[in-house]
Amino acid sequence: MPFQFNDDSGRIVQIAELYATMQQAKTSSGSLVDRVYIKDGSGWPTLGEMIDMDQRVLVFVYNGQEKCTQVTCPPGVYDWFDVAAETDFQHESAAEISNDAVEACRITRGGSGSQDFFGINLFLQSPMQNASAVLNEKTFVEEHVKICSQLASLEPSLILIDFWGQGDVMEYVQEHNAAL
């Protein structure tokens, strides 16, 4: 769960505030915090291993006033761009993405760290539902992910989209994950 802290409203969201909210969110076995995986120094587990441990939530933060290098982050909260790389996210139209997939797949954020995770941004800078109907189609997503994966030599950890109910992107993600 990558949490983007936008400060557009003038209110500064603090990591401790997010964590407190997660502590209040109840699950069948306690709070959401009880399901957060805390890295032990070795590599990241697979999702199957996390499910077996009943710690199936990873929490990342970015774009806020605070970074885990500046404040002591609660256990299990990590800076997204310290471990992840992402493709470009500043697209004005679906045509811009489809006409120049190489540019759209260019890694523009993160990438200087270990690149344990790879996020493929497949949305417009200003969300538009009609564009998502095109961008979220299984065949489009499949081809775009293939191009981005080849260019980055990384498999995606996340495909970041707008309007997840548009198109059949969820079908693609299910099939992709099952093939791993």
Side-chain angles (χ1 to χ4, degrees):
M1 295 172 29
F3 287 95
Q4 177 178 351
F5 289 148
N6 283 340
D7 300 323
D8 296 344
S9 68
R11 183 175 172 276
I12 296 174
V13 178
Q14 298 187 346
I15 295 170
E17 184 179 353
L18 167 67
Y19 197 76
T21 301
M22 291 172 57
Q23 287 175 313
Q24 294 170 5
K26 299 300 177 197
T27 69
S28 60
S29 62
S31 75
L32 182 58
V33 167
D34 297 324
R35 297 271 176 101
V36 171
Y37 175 77
I38 300 171
K39 192 172 182 208
D40 62 8
S42 60
W44 296 96
T46 65
L47 183 55
E49 292 166 340
M50 291 172 57
I51 290 169
D52 290 344
M53 293 183 283
D54 200 23
Q55 293 178 325
R56 49 186 87 196
V57 178
L58 296 175
V59 180
F60 302 99
V61 295
Y62 66 101
N63 283 13
Q65 295 290 322
E66 299 177 329
K67 290 183 55 91
C68 293
T69 55
Q70 299 165 325
V71 299
T72 302
C73 279
V77 177
Y78 309 95
D79 285 315
W80 175 242
F81 291 117
D82 286 349
V83 295
E86 271 189 15
T87 62
D88 192 15
F89 69 97
Q90 298 179 345
H91 306 290
E92 298 298 325
S93 69
E96 181 183 330
I97 295 171
S98 62
N99 291 340
D100 194 354
V102 171
E103 183 63 24
C105 289
R106 185 172 52 90
I107 293 175
T108 59
R109 299 194 300 175
S112 60
S114 65
Q115 295 182 350
D116 294 327
F117 299 96
F118 179 43
I120 296 177
N121 292 311
L122 196 51
F123 56 86
L124 303 185
Q125 194 165 357
S126 298
M128 287 191 257
Q129 197 164 3
N130 61 343
S132 292
V134 173
L135 297 173
N136 295 357
E137 284 302 319
K138 181 181 174 185
T139 55
F140 187 88
V141 173
E142 187 172 40
E143 184 62 23
H144 191 73
V145 167
K146 180 180 170 184
I147 292 167
C148 291
S149 295
Q150 287 174 344
L151 290 171
S153 298
L154 296 167
E155 282 296 317
S157 307
L158 293 172
I159 300 171
L160 301 123
I161 61 168
D162 282 333
F163 305 103
W164 65 270
Q166 293 287 313
D168 46 7
V169 66
M170 300 308 286
E171 181 181 335
Y172 167 77
V173 169
Q174 292 289 338
E175 290 174 8
H176 179 80
N177 289 347
L180 295 176

